[in-house]
Amino acid sequence: MSLSPEAVKTLSHITTATITTVLLKKGLRNVWLRGTKPLRPGQKRLVGPAFTLRFVPAREDLATPESWSKPISTRGAIEAMPEGCIAVVDAMGVTDAGIFGDILCARMVKRGVSALITDGVVRDVEGVLGTGLPVWCDGYAAPPSVAGLTFVGWGEPIGCGGVAIFPDDVIVADQDGAVVIPQAFLEHVLTEGVEQERMEAWIVNEVNNGAVLPGLYPMNAETKARYAASKK
C-alpha cells in the first residue's frame, strides 16, 4: 500500500484522539496500541504504513547472540524496511529486554524509516535518542532482546499493544500514543477526521466564550444549526 503525500499531510493534522473517536463511530474500539508512549517528550505527530516485526518468548536454543547473524534476524528485517515506513514491533509487552538499541536505530535512520513503535522497550536509551529516530515504546531496559525474547520474522500480521496490525495498515502516532487505521477505513478517516477536528475546534471556541456544555457537547439541534451556519 502506498500512502499519498496528501493523505500523510491530512493525517498529520488529525490527532490520535480524534481518530479513535471517528473509528469508534464505525464500531472499531480496539485501535490504540497499549504501552506505546513517545520516548522523547514533544515528539511531533508521525504517519506511515506499518512494517511489522514479531518476537515470541525466549527459547534458550534460539534466543542467543549468535542468532543476530542469521538471515531471520532483526538485522535482516531492518534491511527490508522501505523508506517512509513505521516499524511496528510485537514484543508481547515484555519490558525487561530491549528489542533495539542505538546501532539498530541508527541504521533505521539511514534506511529512511519514519519511526519505531513497540509495546516493548528499547536499550541504550541515550544513544537511541541521539540517533533522532522517533520512538514510541513502554520504556527502556539494559538487557538485550535475547534475554527475554526470540525474533521470528517480519511482514506478517502481529499483535502490538493488544491490537491487530497487518502489514501496510496506516499508523498515526503522537503524544497520546499510537493508533492503527485499517486500510478499509482510511478514506473515511481522511474525510471524517478533518470534520471532527473542525467541529471540536468550534466547540472549544464556544466554551472559551462562556458556553455551557449541555446542548453544546454533544450538540443539540439548535447548536448543530449554528455550527452549520458558521461553515458558510
Side-chain angles (χ1 to χ4, degrees), residues 101-135:
D102 53 355
I103 295 174
L104 273 63
C105 289
R107 180 57 182 161
M108 292 170 69
V109 171
K110 290 293 185 181
R111 295 281 303 166
V113 174
S114 294
L116 166 64
I117 294 176
T118 181
D119 55 1
V121 300
V122 295
R123 63 195 301 246
D124 305 312
V125 64
E126 290 186 12
V128 169
L129 289 169
T131 69
L133 178 71
V135 176

Side-chain angles (χ1 to χ4, degrees), residues 58-75:
R59 205 176 79 180
E60 287 74 8
D61 61 326
L62 299 175
T64 66
E66 290 74 24
S67 68
W68 295 332
S69 299
K70 294 182 178 180
I72 303 300
S73 66
T74 51
R75 281 70 171 163

Side-chain angles (χ1 to χ4, degrees), residues 50-187:
F51 181 93
T52 59
L53 302 88
R54 185 166 69 94
F55 286 88
V56 297
R59 205 176 79 180
E60 287 74 8
D61 61 326
L62 299 175
T64 66
E66 290 74 24
S67 68
W68 295 332
S69 299
K70 294 182 178 180
I72 303 300
S73 66
T74 51
R75 281 70 171 163
I78 288 172
E79 297 306 318
M81 293 178 182
E83 183 177 357
C85 76
I86 291 181
V88 184
V89 186
D90 174 7
M92 303 176 11
V94 171
T95 57
D96 57 1
I99 59 163
F100 287 176
D102 53 355
I103 295 174
L104 273 63
C105 289
R107 180 57 182 161
M108 292 170 69
V109 171
K110 290 293 185 181
R111 295 281 303 166
V113 174
S114 294
L116 166 64
I117 294 176
T118 181
D119 55 1
V121 300
V122 295
R123 63 195 301 246
D124 305 312
V125 64
E126 290 186 12
V128 169
L129 289 169
T131 69
L133 178 71
V135 176
W136 278 259
C137 63
D138 203 13
Y140 35 86
S145 60
V146 293
L149 294 162
T150 302
F151 183 71
V152 293
W154 65 86
E156 59 185 345
I158 62 170
C160 185
V163 178
I165 309 293
F166 287 76
D168 290 332
D169 276 347
V170 179
I171 303 295
V172 181
D174 60 17
Q175 291 297 296
D176 282 350
V179 299
V180 61
I181 304 173
Q183 297 174 29
F185 291 86
L186 177 58
E187 290 302 321

